[in-house]
Amino acid sequence: MGSLHVRTPKNFVLEERLECYGSAIETSPESYIGHWREACAPAGSKPFARLHLDLGCGKGTYLAERAKIEPDTLFIGADQEPICIAYAAQRVVEAGIANAVLVPRKAGSLARIFATGELDAITLNFPTPCPKARHAKQRLVYVDALASFRPLLATGGTVTLRTDSKPLRDYALGQFEAAGYRALWISDDVRAEHPEHPMTEYEQRTRDMGAYVYGICATPGAAPSKTQLEAGRAQEQSLACYLPQDLESLNYVPLGMEEAVENFKNRMRKGKNRFPQV
């Protein structure tokens, strides 16, 4: 989630946190495949109506707040960082939230956790942008990652990206299209236009630095052809290429891109081409 490191307080002991708030953590999520709604429903209650995955849930702010306002939906928060899982579980347990579960898993594990058509929604809240081209395949909005989500989504299911990086959002537009998705909305200010999405701690910190939240909400359309997928892989993968021409107009530089922006500015001040290879 984003590129800011998770800060831990003094005397933070991960193992103790995981044990203390373990009631909200599922360490064997593979055993729930195909029946999350029933298995996680409180005793004597009907199965949950919807299943929503918060992929890269971070410290769980979005997960917990969204779960509070949608009690009929089961929210699964997945993150590969144990510290994030511990914080998110603490938030869920202390708030007494019964419709949220944390799973310590990476995006590559999803097909072993969820059955075909089981998910109604996936949110990608401020995923790590990995701005360099050589790291593109690590992005959650890389065409192959988006294609891997398709079988898991129910009819009408959605994938929603929210990010403080306009270059990542603009790059993702082509990747969603290549993976066979149809955009339901595209926003340059998700906070104003889609306030139903709770604000995360990361979002608040970047807003204080002048950031806007950019987003895409898309649903799978016809299955992509091999040609479409290849076009997505062939798309320009360096996020630096999605920066605006007028770098001085930037009120906020996406985290992780500060060095690239400064290098471009220095080259242009010297009268050189923005990209050395041009």
Side-chain angles (χ1 to χ4, degrees), residues 22-52 63 67 70-77 92 96-103 113-114 118-119:
S23 60
I25 303 171
E26 180 47 62
T27 57
S28 300
E30 292 80 3
S31 64
Y32 286 72
I33 186 170
H35 57 97
W36 280 97
R37 291 176 177 83
E38 299 82 8
C40 294
S45 300
K46 295 187 298 183
F48 288 105
R50 290 171 49 82
L51 184 59
H52 187 140
L63 178 82
E70 295 184 37
D72 293 335
T73 298
L74 175 63
F75 286 85
I76 307 293
V92 167
I97 298 170
N99 60 322
V101 178
L102 284 306
V103 297
I113 299 174
F114 301 107
E118 190 170 18
L119 290 171

Side-chain angles (χ1 to χ4, degrees), residues 152-278:
L152 308 180
L153 290 165
T155 301
T158 59
V159 177
T160 302
L161 166 70
R162 298 193 312 136
T163 178
D164 59 304
S165 173
K166 189 174 186 294
L168 179 66
R169 193 285 307 272
D170 291 350
Y171 161 83
L173 289 171
Q175 298 292 286
F176 271 100
E177 182 179 358
Y181 286 78
R182 176 173 56 87
L184 301 177
W185 55 256
I186 299 167
S187 176
D188 284 346
D189 189 352
V190 177
R191 176 54 43 214
E193 297 173 1
H194 301 278
E196 70 274 13
H197 291 278
M199 185 178 295
T200 68
E201 293 177 1
Y202 179 88
E203 179 182 348
Q204 183 59 64
R205 290 170 71 179
T206 56
R207 279 176 64 86
D208 292 343
M209 297 163 65
Y212 279 85
V213 179
Y214 302 90
I216 304 168
C217 180
T219 190
S225 65
K226 290 183 179 180
T227 301
Q228 280 180 273
L229 294 172
E230 287 300 328
R233 297 173 190 132
Q235 181 183 328
E236 175 56 62
Q237 298 295 323
S238 172
L239 297 188
C241 294
Y242 297 86
L243 288 164
Q245 282 298 115
D246 181 10
L247 296 175
E248 300 298 338
S249 69
L250 287 174
N251 295 320
Y252 170 79
V253 177
L255 297 176
M257 300 192 72
E258 299 92 341
E259 183 178 351
V261 168
E262 193 56 36
N263 286 342
F264 287 164
K265 286 182 177 179
N266 287 336
R267 289 186 62 82
M268 295 171 74
R269 291 185 190 114
K270 296 175 182 178
K272 296 180 180 181
N273 288 324
R274 180 168 172 170
F275 293 98
Q277 67 269 29
V278 175

Side-chain angles (χ1 to χ4, degrees), residues 2 71 79 90 116 131-132 144 149 158 171 174 184:
D79 205 291
Q90 178 178 356
T116 298
K132 295 183 178 180
D144 290 342
F149 300 156
T158 59
Y171 161 83
L184 301 177

Side-chain angles (χ1 to χ4, degrees), residues 98-166:
N99 60 322
V101 178
L102 284 306
V103 297
R105 291 292 187 275
K106 300 179 181 180
S109 303
L110 299 185
R112 299 191 295 274
I113 299 174
F114 301 107
T116 298
E118 190 170 18
L119 290 171
D120 294 289
I122 299 174
T123 49
L124 310 174
N125 285 311
F126 306 96
T128 303
C130 304
K132 295 183 178 180
R134 66 176 180 269
H135 299 147
K137 292 182 181 180
Q138 299 175 26
R139 297 174 191 149
L140 293 179
V141 291
Y142 183 65
V143 61
D144 290 342
L146 293 172
S148 74
F149 300 156
R150 290 176 53 99
L152 308 180
L153 290 165
T155 301
T158 59
V159 177
T160 302
L161 166 70
R162 298 193 312 136
T163 178
D164 59 304
S165 173
K166 189 174 186 294

